Amino acid sequence: MGKKEKYGNYLCTIGYFDIRQKIEMPKVRKMNNGQKQMIPGKVEVFVYHGKKKVAGPFKSHQQAKNAAIELTSR
């Protein structure tokens, strides 16, 4: 398992924090009675300092960027 699978895709750097996102694609599952069930996907955005998760999960990139800016100002 690499860094991409474990922590998510790299987006940007704010100060010394990295913004990373994990994307889970929607899936189609076949049930026992033959019907298909759609499982929705999701996007989670996290703020990391190296390998340590500092904040998250967030629903949007802008919320994560605002949290990273607030953490660097402390």
Side-chain angles (χ1 to χ4, degrees):
M1 178 183 290
K3 203 171 190 181
K4 183 177 178 181
E5 291 85 18
K6 192 170 184 180
Y7 303 115
N9 294 325
Y10 172 80
L11 290 177
C12 67
T13 300
I14 296 181
Y16 51 89
F17 293 112
D18 293 331
I19 309 293
R20 296 184 163 270
Q21 71 175 355
K22 287 185 182 178
I23 300 174
E24 188 176 312
M25 299 300 286
K27 299 177 187 174
V28 177
R29 186 178 89 176
K30 191 172 183 181
M31 300 177 68
N32 292 337
N33 59 3
Q35 294 179 347
K36 294 182 179 179
Q37 181 184 20
M38 185 73 160
I39 300 172
K42 62 181 177 179
V43 175
E44 294 177 326
V45 185
F46 299 96
V47 178
Y48 284 95
H49 180 239
K51 293 183 180 178
K52 182 179 178 187
K53 185 175 11 174
V54 180
F58 298 104
K59 295 289 181 184
S60 70
H61 303 140
Q62 193 60 42
Q63 289 176 344
K65 288 179 184 179
N66 292 339
I69 290 170
E70 181 181 326
L71 288 169
T72 54
S73 65
R74 287 187 191 173

